[in-house]
Amino acid sequence: MSGLAGRGGGGRRNVDIVQALFGRLANEDPRALTDTLDPEVDVMTQKGLAGAGEFHGIPGYLRWFERWSAAWERESLWVAMIEPVGPNHVVAMVRQRARGGAGGDDPDAEREVTVTYMWELRGGLVVRLHAYADRKAAIGAARAERDEPGLA
């Protein structure tokens, strides 16, 4: 069985899956998470955030992660809030602290940014991972996907 399919779907289970994925991201190379991604995964970072753009498939996910990581020299993250939005979506507000070149005049200055991620899971695999500047936008995207899949 690939990915996290054995853990099933549903709001609370998907929250547990996303929490586990953030734990793995903190301790593993992002390439190690590709077993949890649908081969056609849709990844997006909202304009105005570091590494903004749209990416498709596992190679796109890896490019997305490289772009995000290139913007920061050292990074730590912690999940401040996580909640289900319907049976297939999870929204997680994450605080990320880093040093590096993601804006500002001093490349050695420590910065903190809050990013809200919208995850969509189907059959235990991540099919959509979007990063937004605020919770309202992430929840709106999750609700739009829930109501009309593929039209958000």
Side-chain angles (χ1 to χ4, degrees), residues 7-22:
R7 300 193 42 198
R12 185 69 232 164
R13 272 187 280 215
N14 284 337
V15 166
D16 294 341
I17 290 170
V18 170
Q19 284 179 319
L21 290 174
F22 277 117

Side-chain angles (χ1 to χ4, degrees), residues 74-78 94-99 110 113:
R74 283 165 280 197
E75 183 177 1
S76 64
L77 62 88
W78 64 100
V94 177
R95 292 204 170 85
Q96 298 178 230
R97 181 175 295 152
R99 295 186 190 279
E110 189 168 279
V113 62

Side-chain angles (χ1 to χ4, degrees), residues 45-116:
T45 297
Q46 185 179 40
K47 188 175 180 179
L49 293 174
E54 296 182 25
F55 306 86
H56 184 75
I58 292 172
Y61 158 80
L62 294 171
R63 276 193 310 282
W64 169 77
F65 204 93
E66 287 170 12
R67 277 178 83 173
W68 180 262
S69 298
W72 304 98
E73 185 176 312
R74 283 165 280 197
E75 183 177 1
S76 64
L77 62 88
W78 64 100
V79 178
M81 180 278 309
I82 187 166
E83 62 187 313
V85 180
N88 298 312
H89 295 82
V90 173
V91 169
M93 185 181 302
V94 177
R95 292 204 170 85
Q96 298 178 230
R97 181 175 295 152
R99 295 186 190 279
D105 295 327
D106 182 358
D108 292 322
E110 189 168 279
R111 294 172 182 77
E112 185 173 305
V113 62
T114 299
V115 178
T116 304

